[in-house]
Amino acid sequence: MDWTAIGGITASISAARDIAKGLSATRDANLINEKTSALLEQLLKAQEGLLAHNTALLQLQDEYFKASEKLRKLEEAARERGRYSLVELASRHFAYRVNISHIGLPILYKAVCQYRNSVCSQT
């Protein structure tokens, strides 16, 4: 037996094994790259979905804020309207007067003093 030939064969097999490992690693790296690419694509889709969701959420929050503000103004207007009543001072002459029933006790005296005064008049 030629030990030199056996050493050469062993070296060749070892080199082939190292090349195969390298090719395997390259194949695995390619698979990893493909899977990473697919994963990144799915993450981008998820981000797009979240962006659309956040846009819809902000729009709903804006609508809610506007509706709440409108409701607050309407309730305030209703309270303000309840404070006054339309009375006819003379024929076809109207004015608003303060309703005593809608005023609290601390300012009852002030309301009684201005009860007979007209806030505004219409003809």
Side-chain angles (χ1 to χ4, degrees):
M1 277 205 134
D2 187 11
W3 290 106
T4 310
I6 293 174
I9 292 171
T10 305
S12 295
I13 291 174
S14 179
R17 188 186 63 191
D18 291 342
I19 291 171
K21 281 183 182 178
L23 288 175
S24 174
T26 302
R27 183 181 59 86
D28 290 344
N30 286 338
L31 286 175
I32 290 171
N33 287 339
E34 288 176 17
K35 297 297 181 183
T36 303
S37 176
L39 178 63
L40 289 175
E41 183 179 330
Q42 292 301 316
L43 287 173
L44 286 175
K45 286 180 183 179
Q47 283 180 334
E48 288 173 3
L50 284 173
L51 181 61
H53 173 72
N54 284 343
T55 302
L57 179 63
L58 287 174
Q59 190 175 27
L60 288 173
Q61 285 176 336
D62 184 53
E63 290 174 12
Y64 174 77
F65 175 76
K66 287 178 182 177
S68 295
E69 187 67 21
K70 185 176 181 179
L71 178 63
R72 186 190 62 77
K73 287 179 181 180
L74 289 172
E75 287 174 344
E76 184 179 320
R79 278 193 304 274
E80 187 67 23
R81 285 185 185 152
R83 291 185 59 214
Y84 302 97
S85 61
L86 186 64
V87 294
E88 187 171 7
L89 298 176
S91 178
R92 295 179 47 181
H93 293 279
F94 298 91
Y96 286 102
R97 287 196 182 152
V98 175
N99 291 334
I100 295 179
S101 62
H102 288 282
I103 297 178
L105 290 177
I107 56 174
L108 182 60
Y109 177 75
K110 184 179 178 181
V112 170
C113 292
Q114 72 178 16
Y115 179 69
R116 291 289 178 194
N117 296 328
S118 300
V119 176
C120 68
S121 36
Q122 294 179 341
T123 58

